[in-house]
Amino acid sequence: MSHTAINTNFVTLTRNLVFEQQQVKEASGDFTLLLSSIQTACKFISSKVKKAGIAKLYGHHGTENSSGDQVKKLDILSNEVFVNCLRSSGKVAIMASEEEDKPIEVEIKNQGKYVVSFDPLDGSSNIDANVSIGSIFAIWRRQTEEETGATIEDLLQDGRSLVAAGYCLYGSSTHLVLCTGHQVNGYTLDPSLGEFLLTHPDIKIPKRGNIYSINEGNSTYWDESVKEYIQAKKFPTDGTSPYSLRYIGSMVADVHRTLLYGGIFLYPTDKRSPKGKLRVLYECFPMAYIVEKAGGKAITGECNVLDIKPKSIHERCGIICGSVEDVTEIENIYKTHK
Ligand code: AHG
Ligand code: MN
Ligand code: MN
């Protein structure tokens, strides 16, 4: 009999991954180890984000901190920890990072069977204002043979081929949201345990919301479909209430809110950015995957985001994602403007 209200049978991210692995007969444990390395990178970044203000003070009078190390910007530090954790896992064949122009190669003898793309620190313009930021990652199985060495083609797979994707949000608490093919689960970092605990099992996005999220400052560049849709959300003519606007400017935070509360997030193509702003491999694919697996929808305006077959690792696309009814509404407007 329990004497306290404290739960001693908590579910950690590692416990869930090991459990999932045990359900698959031929599982090698590689995927569990790969995700363990990502988990470690996210914990490291979370701890550095919380100390960023202090670390900056340490480096205030020059470029060195109290121990004589170079003070690195958080996005560079985050990139390094992702690369080091993934490379040393021995489970990755090749990687792509927002912070590196070229694919990040791994010595052939250390190459594993997975391919990972990541945005180590998303929303970095928000760091100095203490506003939520995040990390985003996407995982595929490599296509090339293990003996030959991975190539860029391993990274240029479509979004339908993803085997997992997720993000970590460094906000008032640290949340890791992950989908390994089935349900979307949300974990919260318990800093005293250093463990991600399952707090949001099987997240389902509401079918419709009442929040829209877009950089309204770009409205002069919007195409007619976006203008018409946003006008309808602000000045509804069908007797419904206007939508609220929320825009943080960190995709991770804006999509996370959309996932939990419903509504729509848009970073569409426009006259200034005809190919969109956000990157396919490490921003749009993983977020579209999570949103779809939670029962929502993610489109570019022309097709579903996950159907894109990227031609380069830093390719961009428009993205409109969120509640299925909200996204379908603008999708239908796009069709009338074709
Ligand atoms: P990053 O910090 O990785 O470069 O990404 C910033 C992105 C994304 O997080 C956000 O949705 C978008 O840029 C905000 O862009 P605007 O400032 O143009 O609204
Ligand atoms: Mn980003
Ligand atoms: Mn970034």
Side-chain angles (χ1 to χ4, degrees), residues 55-181:
K56 204 175 167 200
L57 281 182
Y58 281 162
H60 198 65
H61 297 295
T63 53
E64 293 189 341
N65 64 17
S66 58
S67 37
D69 301 327
Q70 292 282 317
V71 176
K72 284 198 177 125
K73 288 189 70 180
L74 262 180
D75 36 10
I76 306 300
L77 204 67
S78 305
N79 183 52
E80 283 182 9
V81 76
F82 253 88
V83 172
N84 288 331
C85 285
L86 286 168
R87 199 196 288 281
S88 61
S89 75
K91 307 303 172 199
V92 181
I94 193 165
M95 302 170 252
S97 164
E98 189 210 315
E99 295 293 335
E100 310 220 9
D101 292 343
K102 297 205 172 107
I104 304 159
E105 294 179 350
V106 176
E107 259 189 291
I108 291 198
K109 66 175 175 35
N110 294 329
Q111 288 185 5
K113 57 176 181 258
Y114 294 101
V115 173
V116 184
S117 66
F118 52 90
D119 178 353
L121 208 60
D122 173 72
S124 39
S125 70
N126 279 323
I127 297 174
D128 291 345
N130 200 10
V131 174
S132 298
I133 48 184
S135 303
I136 317 175
F137 55 90
I139 304 172
W140 291 263
R141 216 174 282 280
R142 72 185 288 179
Q143 296 300 305
T144 46
E145 296 300 323
E146 300 215 2
E147 301 73 43
T148 54
T151 70
I152 193 168
E153 294 308 319
D154 287 307
L155 283 164
L156 300 178
Q157 300 184 49
D158 64 28
R160 298 279 168 215
S161 312
L162 280 165
V163 294
Y167 59 81
C168 190
L169 172 66
Y170 314 108
S172 50
S173 57
T174 297
H175 274 164
L176 197 148
V177 174
L178 176 68
C179 179
T180 57

